[in-house]
Amino acid sequence: AVLSLNNISFDAFLLESMVALLNGCTLVMLPEGSEEDPAAVAAHIRNYAVGFITMTPGRLAAYLNDKSFRRAASRLESVICGGEAFPPALLRQLSTLSQARIYNQYGPSETTVGVTIKQLNGANQITAGRPMANCRIYVLDKQLKPLPPGVCGDIYIGGACVGKGYRNQPRLTEDAFLKSPFEPDELMYRSGDLGYWTDEGELALRGREDNQIKLRGMRIELDEIAARLSLHPQVEQAAALVFHHHGQPLIAAYYLSGAPVAERELLE
């Protein structure tokens, strides 16, 4: 059985539903809102003999704070994480609680979600792994020339997985979906992610070329937060950044003002 933890509008739902239904598995749907309750998730794992689960590392870390979920984790056969960086400490914690196969997956929505994957059990390095079937990964310089192992560059994605563009947004489509110089009649998606090839032929991620982050699987533009704060008439300057509190990534916003500003006004 495969447990669906994600809203149908989240790209990971494709992985949960298609993997289950195309392989004759049972797809277990949580009642709405139950994904925020680790005890309810644990009960579904036990009651429906769930063996396969996929989620962001941030959500997994939160679930593992719950005693009932830690017990239920021992029943799992496969855990796939993606959408943000996989912390080594989280891998160690899960490995002590479960014998499940643990995977790290990488891939944006524009390329039908997952494009690379790596099994982390016993791995010396957490990377994004190797390309999946029908997916091509390129690490290129600014002239779209391939870079050798160990040299960081822009990550482009090609293959049957690449979408056609953004609906009713031709300018964004033109910027992100390029004609591939490597495969005729094929589009190549410019991900905005940075990375390099390891000597073992695996993709190692090294952040973004812009100020976009991924937090709990959602894309967030830190510059947009700062711009929104700057709209307040008493805010002279604003900035946003990510920091870690007890191992969990959080967003902090800062502002400069010549007079006190009510927190409620900034939150709105």
Side-chain angles (χ1 to χ4, degrees):
V2 177
L3 181 60
S4 177
L5 290 171
N6 296 292
N7 186 285
I8 62 172
S9 63
F10 188 37
D11 58 15
F13 180 76
L14 281 174
L15 173 65
E16 296 170 337
S17 58
M18 293 300 103
V19 167
L21 300 178
L22 293 176
N23 288 279
C25 302
T26 300
L27 182 62
V28 180
M29 305 291 289
L30 279 172
E32 186 175 359
S34 297
E35 69 278 0
E36 302 299 331
D37 182 0
V41 175
H44 276 71
I45 292 174
R46 294 191 304 269
N47 296 340
Y48 295 95
V50 169
F52 180 101
I53 197 168
T54 177
M55 68 186 84
T56 63
R59 173 171 282 181
L60 176 60
Y63 282 176
L64 289 177
N65 289 326
D66 181 81
K67 184 182 296 185
S68 60
F69 185 85
R70 291 197 297 271
R71 289 196 297 266
S74 64
R75 301 169 175 258
L76 296 172
E77 299 173 16
S78 296
V79 177
I80 294 182
C81 281
E84 58 194 18
F86 199 126
L90 180 61
L91 174 61
R92 292 192 294 268
Q93 183 183 12
L94 182 59
S95 297
T96 61
L97 297 170
S98 175
Q99 298 299 311
R101 297 180 295 274
I102 305 169
Y103 297 92
N104 189 32
Q105 186 184 64
Y106 163 73
S109 303
E110 290 87 344
T111 56
T112 326
V113 202
V115 293
T116 72
I117 196 164
K118 178 178 180 176
Q119 185 172 348
L120 297 179
N121 303 75
N124 295 323
Q125 181 184 9
I126 295 179
T127 71
R130 302 173 187 272
M132 298 181 184
N134 298 319
C135 301
R136 281 182 278 276
I137 307 297
Y138 308 102
V139 179
L140 308 178
D141 63 15
K142 298 304 180 183
Q143 287 72 45
L144 301 184
K145 302 297 183 183
L147 292 169
V151 179
C152 190
D154 298 307
I155 297 175
Y156 289 78
I157 303 168
C161 59
V162 178
K164 303 302 182 184
Y166 300 111
R167 181 175 176 85
N168 296 328
Q169 298 190 67
R171 181 172 297 179
L172 285 177
T173 297
E174 183 178 354
D175 289 341
F177 294 84
L178 293 69
K179 290 185 177 180
S180 174
F182 309 105
E183 298 289 336
D185 303 321
E186 184 173 286
L187 288 177
M188 184 174 68
Y189 174 65
R190 180 165 60 89
S191 69
D193 295 318
L194 301 174
Y196 65 90
W197 292 113
T198 68
D199 291 336
E200 292 74 30
E202 296 178 349
L203 183 65
L205 301 176
R206 284 297 175 268
R208 298 276 305 176
E209 64 177 358
D210 53 23
N211 211 19
Q212 184 189 94
I213 65 166
K214 272 197 172 182
L215 191 61
R216 290 182 279 280
M218 294 186 292
R219 300 183 193 185
I220 299 172
E221 297 281 355
L222 295 179
D223 290 341
E224 288 187 6
I225 297 176
R228 183 69 178 175
L229 289 172
S230 297
L231 293 177
H232 192 285
Q234 291 179 304
V235 172
E236 300 172 8
Q237 297 181 40
L241 55 81
V242 176
F243 73 101
H244 287 77
H245 180 67
H246 297 305
Q248 295 298 309
L250 299 171
I251 296 177
Y254 302 86
Y255 69 94
L256 178 64
S257 175
V261 180
E263 180 180 341
R264 175 182 54 79
E265 296 180 13
L266 295 177
L267 291 175
E268 291 176 351

